[in-house]
Amino acid sequence: MYPMPIEKWRPASRTFYKISVPIALLIWLLPMLAVLVTSVRSADELAMGNYWGWPKDVSLIANYRDALTTSPMLHYFWNSVLITVPSVIGAIALASMAGFALAIYAFPGNTLLFAVFVAGNFVPVQILMIPVRNLSLAMGLYNTVWALVLFHIAFQTGFCTLFLRNFIKQLPFELVESARIEGASEWRVFYTIVLPLIRPALAALAVLVFTFIWNDYFWALCLTQGDDAAPITVGVAALKGQWTTAWNLVSAGSVLAALPSVAMFWAMQRHFVAGLTFGATKG
C-alpha cells in the first residue's frame, strides 16, 4: 500500500500546525514572558498591584542596573564561572577517557562497569544530600568553590560517560586498528583519531552539562553558606527580602543569570544539533 500523496494531506496538516504550534509555543514561553515583563516593571506599579497588566512605566535599564549594583550579583556571577568551567572540563575529560576504554577495549568486567554507569544515573542525588554535606565538612571543603566543583565532576561524569561511550561505539573500529598497525600508541589513537570524530558529541555534551551546573540551586544551597562561594542561582534568591520582595529586581536578576546558558547554546548550536543527531540515520 503506497503512502498518501503529499497533495492530499498538506491542507489538513497546515491547519494542524497553525493551531498546535502557536499554542505550544505560547505555553512554553509564558513563564519567560512573565519574567521579562516583570523585569522592566517599576516598583511603584508592583506596589499598586499591577502584576499582570502591561507595564505603564517601562524601565528597560534601571532594574538591571539596580540588580547589579545594589547586590553582589557580579560576585555571584564570578563564583558561577569558577564552579561551572572547571566542572564541565573535568567531567568531559574523565568521561571521554572512560567512554573510550569502555567502547574500544574488551576487558573482563566491561559490561558490568557500563551497567554501573547506567544504574548510577537513576539514583536520585537528593538522597545523598546529608552524606555529601558531611563529607565536605570532614574534608574541610564546605562553603568553598572546590566543594561544588568536585561534587559536579563526580556526579556528571557518569552521565557523560554513558553519553560518550555510545557515540564512540558507533565509530568504525577499522580506524583504530589501522592506527595501531601504523604504530600509534593508545593515547595517540585517543587524541588524534577518536576525539576529532566525536567533536559534535563533545560540544552537545558541553552545552548540556554547562546548563545543568550553571542552573544548579539545590546543591549550591546545601554546600555553601553566605556569599563567599555562593553561585548566581543562590544570589538571585538572596534578592528576596525578609518582609517585602522587589520582584522586578528578582526578575531582572533571573534574566541576567539565564544569559550565559542561552549564549552558550547559540554559540554551540550547530555542533549541538549535529551531536544529538549523530548516527541517527545509520542502519
Side-chain angles (χ1 to χ4, degrees), residues 13 30 41 43 73 100 104 108 157 190 196 207 213 221 225 231 274:
S13 63
L30 189 59
R41 198 185 299 275
M73 286 291 292
F100 174 77
I104 300 299
T157 299
F190 174 69
V207 174
I213 298 176
L221 195 62
Q225 186 176 10

Side-chain angles (χ1 to χ4, degrees), residues 99-282:
F100 174 77
L102 291 173
I104 300 299
Y105 303 127
F107 56 89
N110 184 305
T111 304
L112 179 61
L113 285 176
F114 180 65
V116 171
F117 278 108
V118 174
N121 288 282
F122 294 97
V123 176
V125 294
Q126 288 79 7
I127 66 175
L128 303 176
M129 177 182 66
I130 296 177
V132 169
R133 185 179 183 275
N134 291 339
L135 180 62
S136 65
L137 286 169
M139 297 176 62
L141 296 175
Y142 182 76
N143 199 31
T144 64
V145 168
W146 283 108
L148 289 169
V149 170
L150 295 176
F151 166 80
H152 286 302
I153 290 177
F155 279 86
Q156 295 295 335
T157 299
F159 169 73
C160 296
T161 301
L162 171 63
F163 192 89
L164 292 177
R165 182 263 184 190
N166 293 333
F167 275 87
I168 297 174
K169 196 72 174 177
Q170 298 182 33
L171 299 178
F173 188 70
E174 291 78 9
L175 295 175
V176 177
E177 289 182 327
S178 62
R180 289 172 176 172
I181 293 174
E182 295 293 331
S185 64
E186 297 301 313
W187 283 104
R188 187 170 181 83
V189 171
F190 174 69
Y191 281 117
T192 61
I193 296 178
V194 174
L195 283 185
L197 291 176
I198 64 170
R199 184 167 52 186
L202 295 175
L205 192 60
V207 174
L208 291 175
V209 175
F210 182 92
T211 304
F212 293 158
I213 298 176
W214 184 273
N215 294 331
D216 173 69
Y217 175 74
F218 179 80
W219 289 108
L221 195 62
C222 293
L223 298 180
T224 62
Q225 186 176 10
D227 297 335
D228 293 338
I232 197 168
T233 50
V234 176
V236 171
L239 292 175
K240 296 189 295 183
Q242 182 177 5
W243 307 110
T244 59
T245 300
W247 291 112
N248 53 341
L249 298 184
V250 174
S251 299
S254 300
V255 173
L256 293 174
L259 289 180
S261 297
V262 176
M264 179 74 172
F265 173 76
W266 285 109
M268 308 289 287
Q269 182 182 13
R270 180 170 60 88
H271 298 289
F272 180 77
V273 175
L276 292 183
T277 58
F278 180 82
T281 58
K282 292 185 178 181

